[in-house]
Amino acid sequence: MGECYPEGTNLSPTFNDHDPSDSDREDIRENERTSVAYHNLTVYGFDARASQQSTFLNLPLTVISRLARWMVATSQDLRCCIVQGFEGIVSNGELLLVLGKPGSGCTTLLRVLAGDTHGLEIDSSAALNYQGTSIREIHQHSRGDYTYLAESDVHFAHLTVSQTLTFAAQARSSFSSRSRLHRFRSATRTMKQTTDALGLQATLHTKLGDNFVRGISGGERKRASIAEVLVGASRLQCWDNSIRGLDSANALQFVQTLRSSAMRNHTVAIATLYQASEDIYHCFDKVTVLYEGREIYFGPTAAAKEYFTELGFLCSRRSTTADFLCSVTNPLERVVQEGYEDKVPRTAAEFARTWECSRAREKLVAEIQAYQAQYPLDGKSSRHVPPSTIRRGGTLYSNGMLGEIHLCVVRGYQRLIQDLTPMISGIIGNAVISIILGSMFYDMPNDTSSFFGRGVLLFFTILTNTLLASFEGVQLWDHRPIVEKQYRFAFYHRSTEAIASMLCDLPNKVLLTTGFNVPFYFLANMHRTPAAFLTFYLFAFTSLLTGSMLYRTIGAMSRTLTASIAPGSNFILLLVIYTGFVLPIPSMHPWLRWVGYLNPVGYAFESLMINEFDGRKFPCVNFVPGGAGYTKVGPGQQTCAVTGAVAGSAVVDGRSYLATTFQYFPEHLWRNLGILYAFMVFLCCLYLLATEFLPAERSKGEVVVFKNARSLTARDSNDREAHNASHPSAGCSEKKPSEHSVEPFGGQGTQRATFVWDNLSYEIKTGEGHAKLLAGVEGWIEPGTLTALMGDSGAGKTTLLNVLANRADVGVVSGEMVVNMEFQNEGFARKVGYAQQQDSATATATVKEALVFSARLRQASKFTDAEKIAYVEEVIAKLDLHDFADAVIGVPGEGLNIEQRKRVTIGIELAARPELLLFLDEPTSGLDSNTAWSICTLLRKLADSGQAILCTIHQPSVTVFEMFDRLLFIQNGRSIYFGNIGPGSRTIIEYFTRHGAAECGSLANPAEWLMDITSRSKGTTTTCDWPGIWANSPERRQIKESLTAMKSKLKASLGEKPQHISRSKYALPYLQQLYHVTKRNLQQDWRTPSYLYSKVFLALGCGLIIGFSFYMSSNSLQGVQNQIFSVFLLFTLHSSLVQLVMPRFLERRSLYELSERPSRMYRWDVFVVSNVISEIPSQTVLAIIQFLTWYYPVGMYKNALSTHDLNERSGLMLLLLLSYMLFSSTFSQMVATIMPNAATGINISSLLYSLSLIFCGILVAPSALPRFWIFMYRSTPITYFVNAMVSTGLAGVTVKCSTAELVEFDPPATATCGQYLRGFATQAGGALLNPDATQQCQFCTVSTTDALIARLGIFYQNRWRNFGISLAYCVINIVGALLLYRLFRVPFGVHGARRDGHAGKISDKQLRGYGAVETVVRILGRDSQAE
């Protein structure tokens, strides 16, 4: 098989032929040199100490104490030292490797050298010299040439790899490019060279994807992040553990690419890498070793090992140099040579002092001094700045503002084209709403009966146009991390991306305006003249643009999304109220009248009303008096019952109506357009300024937060690391290893199960057809063995684990998967542990609480609660979790560090006491080599105690790899080896060398050797067909024979069904599950004060704004209408509450479906019901707040007093508010059950709720609705809330018309007013104020509120019935949530095809896919991303 490896090819090829900075690129800047020297580098962080967890109760005290401390303390008091006294020098073309355990200061060093000093303070005595340029000048003039790449991968999910990298290359192209087309071609060439070097050729036209969008695999996404930096051709690159998630071959390939690029372009690369192999280590020129914030070595990589061995430390024979250097910083892992026990340094301070006295350090200091003499920081350092940093106009950006806008606009349209669904659905949805509105007001007559309808329609129109852009604020927050990252890379200004996003949205806004405004305008018979329509369209479009600027400004000025919801919603409520319709200008109170002057919606509404009414005469249809007996009255003896009418006139002038009712005047029409433009320009400038100068709140770093003061220890944490020198992390503590027995893991309660799979295949449906992710994979795991699963990125490792662990929710699974018959029951999945690659846990829980929760809900019911807690303590001891057992887990980037989170993830599975199998997906990914070794040691102990373990692993060291008994190696979903590894890995090495692979060196890492020889397109054009070789090998024939024998043995176990085995699907009964899950949800809410306080301030602000805007409303016609509208406005609160409730529900759903449901922790209906219950306490508080801040200020209690019914009416109003709050939360959760993400759910919820508001009977009385729509009035829940609250608050009260509302006319000369109106008053109702007068009769058209609310179909006697119906809707929401979740989120039953002689049929409720099956599982509305 030697021809598979052409002559001249080695296993660690260089990548000069694919260098991303190839010399034919025009923008390669020849003769540029970059280097850096730093001396006495000390860095401080601010207020980054371990702290107590915030709760709803202690947050105000915490804020006050921090404020007081900030006011009293000096900056020195508030800071803590992160790194101290670092020094080093890296010349051009060199690579520096930074080694140290998490918490040593590696990330801080990288960030500082790259100029990313946000949240840090560099000591004034520190000297950083970039060839005569200070760090301040670097940040001001060449930020993009000094880059720092964090571990996280953030990209626009819908862009392809090619689009993402081409944009990056164009954004960093120099000005030497002759034309835009030439620059595009150059950028495309750079992109292709980079993707060739990193093995991304096959992914160029695939979306990057994320957790919700299907795209490339995680390893490929990591390489795309690397490529984004490489195509930018930065001069100094800082890489923070960028090989995390990469297999060893890809990791080596990445470092070799850095090596080639640095040598060719004279750049500098500084990287911190965990689990660096020997080949990777020797790619670096220099290495620095950090120990708890102190530098203990800096120098050539070749001399580092010798330095520490001379100190007295011993390097084991097969340990890599990087592992050895890291091990000396770990008291539990370093090995001291015999005779040096009392001579070697032990603490970080002792190591630092030893280094300071060494000759190697003296040589380093001399080099630094020589460098500073050559490049002095003398204030004239600009002459030393590399030419690349002096760009056009002195800016640090490459393209200029117009060029940046062009690039961002092109990218914006690419994103739009790749994801058209939201835009199309938005346009169609708004068009449907428009048609519904038009049909509700269909063909309004051109008379006075349409006055209120036209006002309602225009008010709703202008409000909708303004609020159509509300989703843009959420989009800004989704994209903000990406924009921030690319801003730090100097791709563009933040403001240019903002301008581009506005330009990209313009076509969508034009279509939205057309789709929404045109249909209803003509259906409703609005003012049908060309001038009126074009004026209407102009103002509608201008309102949409102004609203867009408003929402964008609010989003840009907020530091967090949650914090922006309450103030933003309350501000919008002010705009709605002070538009001038629901509260006309004459009714506005002086203390908030100023809001009307600052309200762009109000100016637009005024102009639309003027456009509709001005210059028109409307025939009157309702005269006072009128009807029988009043048909032949004289002039002046009857008046139209509309404000603005003139006695004796049969028509009402639109201009007079506007002036009398709203104080609107025609001369304001075009003035208002100018004001709108002024608002739009002002808000646009404010938005751009906020975007450019107010960055989003950045992560505070992995600061350890404890549950309470008793658990709080005096720990310092840096912005990114875990702990400082005084408080080492768990893996670094000086205590001796725990001597606890492994019996709890493998003894009591553990069964011995053998698990076999044969000819296993897995196929999914994609946009291009069907993709086969697994094909003919076979193997087994048995008790007492530790099996490794390996393969390159995208090979299908995670996919195989998901299928084996019964977690493949989409696709077709075929083949045989067999387990001992005694374990084939509904409890199988619960007894299988699966530590996933994603570290998923409740962010607000402590480590111990998370383990206890897992133990209580998954351990067999035969164990008492005390035994479960005791077992958790054993797990904590085994995993060395004691130091942070009471620490809050947090989210990635804030809370526990990567190592601690990985331990917790494994601990959660071990706490469940898995009785049968244990699967782990990359448990060592992102960990340093020593921690990876300790975790694998633990797995080895678990296997030795009887556990059957299958574990995927990416970059194992020699010692870690040899801990495994067997290896399953797959390539592109096909097996290329399964069998024993053998002593010294000889078995597997002999197999591959026998079939054509090059020899594995005696000091080589067999795992890395395997990855090299099996990788495709890694420097060679051909490779062996390893799947074909394996398929025809004698080793596979032996495996198949063993599989046949094992399956026969498993079939023979049919009669063996021990009585002690737990057979139930869940460990606890329903009510106990509900109790524990609901308790956790309530704890999570209590410990998330931002969530609860946002709710409180939302309800408080809404109540106070409405209450004091309609303060003590009178019982005039307008006053009663104001009170009705105050009720209506209360129901707009839902659109804000849903933005809080729905994301919380979806966050919990993700955790449940990712790990808790597959583990059979608790039932799906427990999940839904527990979420409903956990919202009840906070919603009850909101109802009380709303009642106190709205009911009494509006003055409805006075109506209850006048009817002598205060207790019943007040009590019923409170119950109605409580019912509404419960309805809001349950409705949000019902809609959320089937939504893929929060943004889509919020939009759909708002759409459905808007329909409910439209048809509730306030905007259009049921008697005025077309008969077709009456079913909507009767079925919408808001109808019954409104009816009950309006009747409870207003019924039975006398109406007293204001002077402007009185209808005045003269009676006949021979009659008094009372005589003249006797017949009309009897027929039509109303009240005559001066019955004995002979002129100027004053008539109020309504005498009691009962008559007024009856026009809306509201009756007092139905109040309790309506309250009962409102509660019924809450129940319907809960039932709907359960039904929708069951239909759309719970996998359907799987029907398997049985084969003769099989060990028995296993139903889906027991173990989906286990047995001879051909399965199709469909989950509607859910994406499944395969590796």
Side-chain angles (χ1 to χ4, degrees), residues 892-908:
E894 292 187 18
L896 300 182
N897 62 28
I898 295 173
E899 172 203 358
Q900 294 162 341
R901 293 179 66 84
K902 187 64 68 176
R903 288 177 181 270
V904 171
T905 298
I906 297 173
I908 288 174

Side-chain angles (χ1 to χ4, degrees), residues 161-172:
V161 174
S162 173
Q163 291 168 342
T164 299
L165 299 183
T166 301
F167 174 86
Q170 287 183 283
R172 292 292 298 159

Side-chain angles (χ1 to χ4, degrees), residues 118 429 487 638 918 1055 1287 1413:
H118 177 84
Y487 166 78
Q638 66 178 185
L918 181 61
S1287 61
V1413 298

